[in-house]
């Protein structure tokens, strides 16, 4: 009988210890497009986040606890993103990485704000993502910011007198870029000679590009993500449109769509959040660790993911844990960190004050043109 009691006692103690061990984790959720037409962005952000979380866990965890990270796929769909959020909340997460693209993020942001859950999107650029959502932050700069920089680059550096735009008038990201680019270009004295709209992921942009070519612009903003932008560059050549081609951060990875066609990138420039050419200590350490893990050079979206994880986990650490939701939000607002993409703080709209990287191409490979610091 004593032996039986001893065995039972050992089992009870073992189960108790296991329960304690399982409880000693900090649960964080992640929402991203991991399949579907823009999965590349979700995968790149996830790679950066996973790397930083892995580094923290390998170093002993956060406040002595391991980070338990659960990812869900929103397929770039608002309804899927909202459903994913509700499932993650039911599982007991204390904070959220993502979503990644603008439309799903706009759907999830008010839900997180209502629950006072700290949420940080690596790359949702629309202004309204954080408007009225005090617990929602972002790591990327906004559409107006990068569009204005591209307009300044066009007029002041490329000496463009006439500019044009091709955009998707059904897409928040594309609309935001178009509106801010045109406004700033006109303020700087450029003439907007053509604005054409076409739905992204269309197969044929030649009707719009032919109209734009007839106006002979010096520079054109292509307000699409990288896959459609690559097709536009091909078809621009077909219709004889020869001018500077400009893109925002959604162009990151466009060179992979144009292998063997690098000549199409000779007059292309886009705005990004990071460059592996940046010589800062943080950037080069990230390049080394990312390359060691994934066997490739990191992109801007990889860096956004890594910085996103650093910002949120630092805020949790400074808040002393995840029990006090408001303390995490307060620590997020107080962020002042040297990150891969430069030093980051937040303004009153929970948007980052940070550097921008203007990227050109040399032999088809993204190359740092100019780093613009705040």
């Amino acid at each position: 009988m004593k032996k039986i009691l001893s065995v039972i006692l050992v089992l009870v103690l073992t189960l108790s210890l296991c329960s304690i061990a399982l409880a000693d984790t900090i649960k964080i959720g992640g929402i991203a497009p991991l399949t579907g037409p823009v999965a590349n962005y979700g995968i790149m952000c996830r790679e950066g986040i996973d790397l930083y979380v892995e580094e923290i866990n390998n170093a002993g965890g956060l406040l002595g606890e391991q980070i338990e990270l659960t990812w869900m796929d929103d397929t770039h769909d608002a309804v899927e993103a909202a459903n994913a959020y509700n499932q993650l909340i039911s599982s007991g997460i204390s904070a959220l990485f993502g979503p990644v693209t603008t439309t799903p993020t706009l759907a999830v942001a008010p839900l997180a704000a209502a629950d006072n859950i700290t949420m940080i999107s690596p790359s949702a650029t629309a202004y309204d993502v954080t408007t009225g959502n005090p617990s929602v932050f972002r790591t990327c700069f906004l559409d107006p910011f990068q569009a204005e920089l591209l307009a300044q680059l066009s007029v002041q550096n490329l000496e463009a007198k006439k500019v044009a735009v091709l955009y998707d008038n059904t897409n928040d990201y594309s609309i935001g870029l178009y509106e801010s680019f045109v406004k700033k270009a006109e303020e700087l004295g450029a003439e907007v000679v053509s604005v054409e709209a076409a739905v992204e992921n269309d197969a044929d942009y030649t009707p719009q590009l032919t109209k734009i070519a007839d106006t002979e612009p010096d520079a054109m903003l292509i307000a699409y993500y990288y896959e459609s932008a690559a097709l536009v560059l091909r078809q621009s050549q077909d219709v004889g449109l020869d001018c500077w081609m400009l893109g925002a951060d959604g162009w990151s990875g466009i060179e992979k769509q144009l292998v063997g066609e690098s000549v199409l990138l000779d007059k292309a420039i886009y705005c990004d959040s990071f460059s592996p050419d940046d010589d800062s200590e943080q950037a080069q350490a990230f390049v080394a660790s990312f390359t060691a893990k994934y066997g490739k050079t990191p992109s801007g979206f990889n860096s956004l993911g890594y910085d996103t994880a650093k910002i949120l986990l630092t805020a949790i650490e400074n808040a002393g844990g995840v029990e006090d939701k408001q303390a995490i939000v307060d620590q997020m607002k107080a962020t002042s960190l040297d990150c891969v993409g430069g030093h980051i703080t937040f303004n009153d709209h929970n948007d980052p004050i940070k550097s921008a990287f203007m990227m050109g191409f040399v032999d088809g490979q993204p190359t740092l043109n100019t780093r613009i610091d705040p």
Side-chain angles (χ1 to χ4, degrees), residues 31 74 77-86 96-99 102-115 117 119 129 133 136:
I31 301 175
D74 66 21
D77 180 81
V79 174
E80 290 291 334
N83 290 338
Y85 173 80
N86 290 328
L96 178 66
F97 295 127
T102 291
T103 299
T105 306
L106 287 169
V108 173
L111 304 179
D115 293 331
I117 290 289
M119 163 183 154
V129 163
N133 298 317
V136 177

Side-chain angles (χ1 to χ4, degrees), residues 43 68 74 94 134 154 169 212 274 277 289 311 313 319 372:
I43 292 168
E68 182 182 337
D74 66 21
S94 299
S154 301
N169 60 5
I212 293 172
F274 168 76
D277 298 328
S289 60
I311 292 166
L313 298 187
I372 303 173

Side-chain angles (χ1 to χ4, degrees), residues 185-330:
E186 290 178 333
E187 286 178 4
L188 295 171
E191 180 185 2
V192 180
V193 293
S194 182
V195 174
E196 293 292 328
V199 176
E200 190 165 15
N201 297 319
D202 199 348
D204 185 12
Y205 298 99
T206 54
Q208 292 84 4
L209 292 171
T210 299
K211 292 179 182 178
I212 293 172
D214 288 342
T215 65
E216 299 182 345
D218 302 309
M220 177 174 72
L221 174 68
I222 304 171
Y224 294 144
Y225 294 117
Y226 67 99
E227 288 180 315
S228 295
L231 181 58
V232 170
L233 291 180
R234 292 192 190 99
Q235 295 179 355
S236 293
Q237 184 182 55
D238 294 340
V239 302
L241 178 54
D242 181 21
C243 66
W244 284 100
M245 302 295 187
L246 309 173
D249 56 349
W251 273 34
S252 183
I254 193 173
E255 73 280 359
K256 298 172 186 176
Q257 303 291 312
L258 296 170
V259 176
E261 302 173 89
S262 62
V263 65
L264 297 177
L265 295 169
D266 286 349
K267 293 180 71 174
I269 297 177
Y270 72 101
C271 187
D272 211 340
S273 297
F274 168 76
S275 169
D277 298 328
D278 185 29
D279 59 4
S280 73
E281 180 181 346
Q282 289 79 13
Q284 290 309 305
F286 169 65
V287 170
S289 60
F290 187 92
T291 304
K293 179 173 175 62
Y294 296 109
K296 59 184 179 180
T297 302
S299 70
F301 279 84
N302 294 140
S303 75
L304 285 172
Y306 191 87
D307 284 347
T308 293
K310 181 174 183 177
I311 292 166
L312 178 56
L313 298 187
T314 300
I316 291 173
E317 181 178 27
N318 291 339
V322 294
E323 291 75 18
D324 188 339
K325 294 180 182 179
Q326 188 56 45
I328 301 174
V329 174
D330 292 342

Side-chain angles (χ1 to χ4, degrees), residues 28-50 69-85 88 93 96-105 108 119-124 301 304-305 308:
I28 299 178
I31 301 175
L34 303 176
T35 60
V38 295
N40 190 43
Y41 299 117
I43 292 168
M44 287 190 290
C45 287
R46 178 178 177 170
E47 288 172 338
I49 291 170
D50 284 350
L69 178 55
T70 302
W71 282 100
M72 298 201 72
D73 182 9
D74 66 21
T75 71
H76 186 51
D77 180 81
V79 174
E80 290 291 334
N83 290 338
Y85 173 80
L88 289 168
I93 65 165
L96 178 66
F97 295 127
V100 166
T101 49
T102 291
T103 299
T105 306
V108 173
M119 163 183 154
I120 178 167
S121 170
S123 51
F301 279 84
L304 285 172
T308 293

Side-chain angles (χ1 to χ4, degrees), residues 11-23:
L11 287 173
V12 169
L13 289 171
T14 301
L15 289 172
S16 297
L17 290 171
C18 287
S19 297
I20 293 171
L22 289 173

Side-chain angles (χ1 to χ4, degrees), residues 147-156 160-165 177-193 219 221 246:
E148 289 173 5
L149 289 181
L150 287 165
Q152 289 177 341
L153 178 78
S154 301
V155 178
Q156 297 174 352
K161 305 297 183 184
K162 300 189 296 182
V163 299
V165 179
L177 291 170
Y178 148 65
E179 291 177 342
S180 297
F181 178 84
V182 165
K183 181 179 178 181
K184 189 64 176 181
E186 290 178 333
E187 286 178 4
L188 295 171
E191 180 185 2
V192 180
V193 293
L221 174 68
L246 309 173

